[in-house]
Amino acid sequence: MQPIVDAINSWEEKTTSLSDEGIKNKTQEFRERIKKGETLDDILPEAFALVREAAKRVIGERHYDVQLMGGISLHRGTITEMKTGEGKTLTSTLAIYLNAVEGKGVHVVTVNDYLAKRDCNWMGSVYHALGLSTACIMHDVSYLYEPKIVDDNEVSVEMQNLKEITRREAYASDITYGTNNEFGFDYLRDNMVQSIEQMSQRPDASGGLNYAIVDEVDSILIDEARTPLIISAPDSESTKMYQRFAQIVPRLKEKEDYEVDEKMKAVALTEAGISKIEKDLGVGNIYELGKIDYVHHLEQSLKAEVIFKRDRDYVVKDGQVIIVDDFTGRLMEGRRYSDGLHQAIEAKERVEVQKESRTLATITFQNYFRMYKKLAGMTGTASTSAEEFSKVYKLDVLEIPTNKEMIRKDLPDVVYKTEKGKFDAIAQLIKETNQKGQPILVGTIAIEKSEYLSALLEREGIKHEVLNAKHHEKEATIVSSAGQKGSVTIATNMAGRGTDIKLGEGVRELGGLYIIGTERHEARRIDNQLRGRSGRQGDPGKSQFYVSLEDELMRRFGGDKLKNMMDTLGLPEDQPIQNSIISKTIENAQNKIEGYNFDIRKHVLDYDDVMNKQRETVYKKRKELLAATDVKNDMMHYVEEEIERIISVQCVGEEYEWNVEMMVAELQNIFNFSGQDGKKLEQIRNDKSKNSAEKISMMADFAMGKAKEAYIQKENEIGLDIFRQIEKAVMLQTIDTLWMNHLDEIDYLRQGIGLRGYGQQDPLVEYKREAFNLFSHLMENVRTTTVNTIFKISQVSKAQTQEPSQLENANFQGAEENVTQFGAAKKGENGNEAPEPQKPLVNKDKNIGRNDPCPCGAKKEDGTPKKYKNCCGKNA
């Protein structure tokens, strides 16, 4: 990369001489050059030099040469590893600008709304100086960067340069900031809307998924990738059974009634436990046919009671059970455990048990981000997960050197026998270090641990800040001040990720920021992330982890043996040990868990890849329908295929065996096909001058001719313009309804397919085969249902023919945030309320006899009333 960096530096003198207006004009010049055939690589040196000059003028920061290398790496679609404090946010502006010049849109993905808003406001000023538009999408609002004349310091803190806009306008900007959940949910929502105008993302063939840079890429593409995005709607299943089991399960005893596997986080009932449950329920054998619901509810209730702990896996706040993210320690408002587990926890905690949900749309982060034409990411900790990035996303990891040499001291782990001994030692270390004035940042892996340590420090009279998922609104402010003299900050492992910790006056002389880890995390990346909070840009610093043999990681992987060994040696709980065997055990445990978690994510992805092909097919068809003004050709193609299916099914064997009577009956079920028409089919069958293939073709052509006549009659009856709208609405409604049912069927298949392994069959191969059969059946169903519906529409409301969006009462389950309702589906592009959609009316009155006068009042030429069968009842 050095020759390219040299080329960029050679442009510096020319860009420095440009006026502010000249810098903006350069962007237009680049666009013209690209139209004439130049590539992004051709203009890269000049473009990067231009960004550097704009940043220097607007925010007073000039890119280092190593940041230029990081920009090149991001432009090439690589995972770029830059140590904490090396300026990843500034580095990204280079690749973002270069790719945004094309005009196809660039998405910048952040880990939370705060960072999306902050970076949009902060870097938006640079892009504005370059003549590009910048926006950010948040949970419930979208903003456009629009500078106001205010004091520079005030702007960066108060974010006064953001103007509220619609989501669609945000995606139309050159650069759009947002979280992984918001981008993913918008993709799913866009594939559930009823018109192009309701879509948020750019409605071109790729869905506007051109180029994305993912900040903290390991957190988003790995840690959160086990949780798919799900849009669901409440189902009406009763919740009483969960409440009933929540009373029974606590009476069960471990070892006697159930066994716990901590390593697999699983719990299994014993024979004694099953007998006890059956006795309490008074229902006999719960594994009998018809009682399988009991088993499902029981398993989830037992798991909720034994495996899931309050203030570790979830918290109870305002009468709701809120999940705590394993990796970030954040509260994941609105996200719910699936398969009834969340309801079981609600019943256990005696809060209102919510109804179970039905899936409307779902996608994994892996498959969402793999849809981008080009994907890149940046983080301080990617190399330990290089294999996963390569295998899943086909992305290489490139380590960028630091601008200044790293001088932080990473001390070896200190191991204690008990958790109490460990925390007492940590409290003592904090007290001693704090007396010198050296700032300390303590990383914990759970809310309860941070609160326990806080209580110890309060007892010692040490002033400190606690930052955990319960207070994440103010985390950026707390973390940014963690480097001040005498400060003590306790934080869950990745709190404040993305926020710079700058050292206060006199702190360098005291040794810099002291990082204390209270427990090893499952993933080495998370430990490295905590360490990386110290030692930025050549600053001094120190880091050390304190471990006990009672820690979850140690307990799950051989801690008991080591503890027994220490008991035998008679070591007291407050005596630390540093032993190569124990250090190796910890490292092996982390390696095992990382591999195990990778296998889980890969397993989820292998199955979702099957679903993804189907999803792409359905969504592509949906987009084509939305974009089309006239879908008559599609509808007639469906009708033709359905007629061919009916005739081919009945024309089996010798010609005399062909079931013309059944053929006529099936055609009459679709449209007005008379008995006389049936005689014509018999004549074709009995024609000796034609062979079988010719006869089948003639039958299909004749039936199709009759279908076209019935179709034209339907167009005339309802009105051409309205009927065109109905066709589109019927096709969309049919696809949406049957796709939702298909998602349920696929889910049931997925849950049970593992049992095929007992029959020496590969579950994944079987899943692929059966999922394909289900999908073929789905597409046939879409065609048959659409054809059967369209000929039976007899009356329509005045103007609106669109079905109400399924999104109106949908829930959004993601990896961090979620909404309970989505009203924007009912709004037009300008945000105004659209008229309430009404359904097409279908005449379903069963009390009118076929020979009765038609209720519509139509008369024959002689003035007598038309019979129902010859008027509105023709297609009934």
Side-chain angles (χ1 to χ4, degrees), residues 848-864:
I848 303 169
R850 290 184 56 74
N851 292 312
D852 291 347
C854 189
C856 74
K859 291 183 170 53
K860 293 192 280 189
E861 289 179 7
D862 61 2
T864 58

mmCIF file of all heavy atoms in Angstrom, residues 848-864:
data_model
loop_
_atom_site.group_PDB
_atom_site.id
_atom_site.type_symbol
_atom_site.label_atom_id
_atom_site.label_comp_id
_atom_site.label_asym_id
_atom_site.label_seq_id
_atom_site.Cartn_x
_atom_site.Cartn_y
_atom_site.Cartn_z
ATOM 1 N N ILE A 848 -78.984 -17.390 -1.369
ATOM 2 C CA ILE A 848 -79.651 -17.074 -2.641
ATOM 3 C C ILE A 848 -79.624 -18.311 -3.524
ATOM 4 O O ILE A 848 -78.562 -18.873 -3.786
ATOM 5 C CB ILE A 848 -78.930 -15.912 -3.358
ATOM 6 C CG1 ILE A 848 -78.895 -14.681 -2.435
ATOM 7 C CG2 ILE A 848 -79.611 -15.554 -4.664
ATOM 8 C CD1 ILE A 848 -77.993 -13.589 -2.924
ATOM 9 N N GLY A 849 -80.797 -18.750 -3.995
ATOM 10 C CA GLY A 849 -80.868 -19.895 -4.893
ATOM 11 C C GLY A 849 -80.380 -19.528 -6.276
ATOM 12 O O GLY A 849 -80.464 -18.368 -6.685
ATOM 13 N N ARG A 850 -79.873 -20.495 -7.002
ATOM 14 C CA ARG A 850 -79.314 -20.183 -8.324
ATOM 15 C C ARG A 850 -80.383 -19.664 -9.284
ATOM 16 O O ARG A 850 -80.079 -18.898 -10.189
ATOM 17 C CB ARG A 850 -78.628 -21.425 -8.920
ATOM 18 C CG ARG A 850 -77.341 -21.783 -8.180
ATOM 19 C CD ARG A 850 -76.607 -22.959 -8.819
ATOM 20 N NE ARG A 850 -76.281 -22.778 -10.237
ATOM 21 C CZ ARG A 850 -75.305 -21.975 -10.675
ATOM 22 N NH1 ARG A 850 -74.595 -21.281 -9.820
ATOM 23 N NH2 ARG A 850 -75.057 -21.874 -11.960
ATOM 24 N N ASN A 851 -81.633 -20.082 -9.083
ATOM 25 C CA ASN A 851 -82.712 -19.629 -9.973
ATOM 26 C C ASN A 851 -83.487 -18.436 -9.423
ATOM 27 O O ASN A 851 -84.451 -17.980 -10.036
ATOM 28 C CB ASN A 851 -83.684 -20.790 -10.254
ATOM 29 C CG ASN A 851 -83.018 -21.869 -11.084
ATOM 30 O OD1 ASN A 851 -82.387 -21.579 -12.095
ATOM 31 N ND2 ASN A 851 -83.148 -23.127 -10.662
ATOM 32 N N ASP A 852 -83.058 -17.930 -8.238
ATOM 33 C CA ASP A 852 -83.714 -16.745 -7.666
ATOM 34 C C ASP A 852 -83.314 -15.488 -8.433
ATOM 35 O O ASP A 852 -82.259 -15.466 -9.081
ATOM 36 C CB ASP A 852 -83.298 -16.566 -6.197
ATOM 37 C CG ASP A 852 -83.878 -17.657 -5.310
ATOM 38 O OD1 ASP A 852 -84.779 -18.376 -5.789
ATOM 39 O OD2 ASP A 852 -83.419 -17.801 -4.161
ATOM 40 N N PRO A 853 -84.155 -14.411 -8.353
ATOM 41 C CA PRO A 853 -83.764 -13.134 -8.962
ATOM 42 C C PRO A 853 -82.470 -12.646 -8.327
ATOM 43 O O PRO A 853 -82.274 -12.770 -7.120
ATOM 44 C CB PRO A 853 -84.925 -12.190 -8.624
ATOM 45 C CG PRO A 853 -86.068 -13.088 -8.325
ATOM 46 C CD PRO A 853 -85.494 -14.337 -7.731
ATOM 47 N N CYS A 854 -81.584 -12.080 -9.148
ATOM 48 C CA CYS A 854 -80.292 -11.613 -8.635
ATOM 49 C C CYS A 854 -80.494 -10.405 -7.723
ATOM 50 O O CYS A 854 -81.225 -9.474 -8.077
ATOM 51 C CB CYS A 854 -79.366 -11.240 -9.790
ATOM 52 S SG CYS A 854 -77.696 -10.899 -9.215
ATOM 53 N N PRO A 855 -79.889 -10.402 -6.523
ATOM 54 C CA PRO A 855 -80.070 -9.296 -5.567
ATOM 55 C C PRO A 855 -79.533 -7.953 -6.072
ATOM 56 O O PRO A 855 -79.845 -6.920 -5.504
ATOM 57 C CB PRO A 855 -79.303 -9.764 -4.327
ATOM 58 C CG PRO A 855 -78.347 -10.786 -4.811
ATOM 59 C CD PRO A 855 -78.982 -11.446 -5.969
ATOM 60 N N CYS A 856 -78.725 -7.946 -7.171
ATOM 61 C CA CYS A 856 -78.192 -6.674 -7.657
ATOM 62 C C CYS A 856 -79.258 -5.870 -8.417
ATOM 63 O O CYS A 856 -79.062 -4.694 -8.719
ATOM 64 C CB CYS A 856 -76.981 -6.895 -8.549
ATOM 65 S SG CYS A 856 -77.372 -7.528 -10.193
ATOM 66 N N GLY A 857 -80.424 -6.542 -8.766
ATOM 67 C CA GLY A 857 -81.530 -5.824 -9.426
ATOM 68 C C GLY A 857 -81.433 -5.771 -10.939
ATOM 69 O O GLY A 857 -82.238 -5.091 -11.599
ATOM 70 N N ALA A 858 -80.469 -6.464 -11.529
ATOM 71 C CA ALA A 858 -80.309 -6.436 -12.993
ATOM 72 C C ALA A 858 -81.503 -7.092 -13.683
ATOM 73 O O ALA A 858 -82.106 -8.031 -13.158
ATOM 74 C CB ALA A 858 -79.016 -7.149 -13.365
ATOM 75 N N LYS A 859 -81.839 -6.541 -14.880
ATOM 76 C CA LYS A 859 -82.995 -7.063 -15.642
ATOM 77 C C LYS A 859 -82.562 -7.480 -17.034
ATOM 78 O O LYS A 859 -81.587 -6.984 -17.582
ATOM 79 C CB LYS A 859 -84.088 -5.998 -15.723
ATOM 80 C CG LYS A 859 -84.769 -5.714 -14.376
ATOM 81 C CD LYS A 859 -85.894 -4.713 -14.550
ATOM 82 C CE LYS A 859 -86.740 -4.598 -13.295
ATOM 83 N NZ LYS A 859 -86.009 -4.328 -12.075
ATOM 84 N N LYS A 860 -83.375 -8.415 -17.629
ATOM 85 C CA LYS A 860 -83.139 -8.837 -19.006
ATOM 86 C C LYS A 860 -83.739 -7.799 -19.955
ATOM 87 O O LYS A 860 -84.395 -6.844 -19.525
ATOM 88 C CB LYS A 860 -83.775 -10.214 -19.248
ATOM 89 C CG LYS A 860 -83.084 -11.314 -18.464
ATOM 90 C CD LYS A 860 -83.519 -12.692 -18.917
ATOM 91 C CE LYS A 860 -84.869 -13.064 -18.300
ATOM 92 N NZ LYS A 860 -85.239 -14.473 -18.531
ATOM 93 N N GLU A 861 -83.552 -8.010 -21.283
ATOM 94 C CA GLU A 861 -84.066 -7.052 -22.260
ATOM 95 C C GLU A 861 -85.581 -6.903 -22.186
ATOM 96 O O GLU A 861 -86.131 -5.842 -22.449
ATOM 97 C CB GLU A 861 -83.666 -7.489 -23.682
ATOM 98 C CG GLU A 861 -82.171 -7.305 -23.941
ATOM 99 C CD GLU A 861 -81.780 -7.759 -25.330
ATOM 100 O OE1 GLU A 861 -82.670 -8.087 -26.134
ATOM 101 O OE2 GLU A 861 -80.557 -7.786 -25.614
ATOM 102 N N ASP A 862 -86.304 -7.994 -21.843
ATOM 103 C CA ASP A 862 -87.777 -7.921 -21.766
ATOM 104 C C ASP A 862 -88.255 -7.332 -20.436
ATOM 105 O O ASP A 862 -89.460 -7.279 -20.160
ATOM 106 C CB ASP A 862 -88.399 -9.311 -21.985
ATOM 107 C CG ASP A 862 -87.949 -10.308 -20.925
ATOM 108 O OD1 ASP A 862 -87.194 -9.904 -19.997
ATOM 109 O OD2 ASP A 862 -88.347 -11.497 -20.998
ATOM 110 N N GLY A 863 -87.299 -6.934 -19.576
ATOM 111 C CA GLY A 863 -87.687 -6.282 -18.315
ATOM 112 C C GLY A 863 -87.829 -7.215 -17.134
ATOM 113 O O GLY A 863 -87.997 -6.750 -15.997
ATOM 114 N N THR A 864 -87.769 -8.510 -17.369
ATOM 115 C CA THR A 864 -87.875 -9.456 -16.244
ATOM 116 C C THR A 864 -86.528 -9.554 -15.529
ATOM 117 O O THR A 864 -85.481 -9.369 -16.149
ATOM 118 C CB THR A 864 -88.292 -10.861 -16.744
ATOM 119 O OG1 THR A 864 -87.307 -11.303 -17.703
ATOM 120 C CG2 THR A 864 -89.662 -10.817 -17.384
#
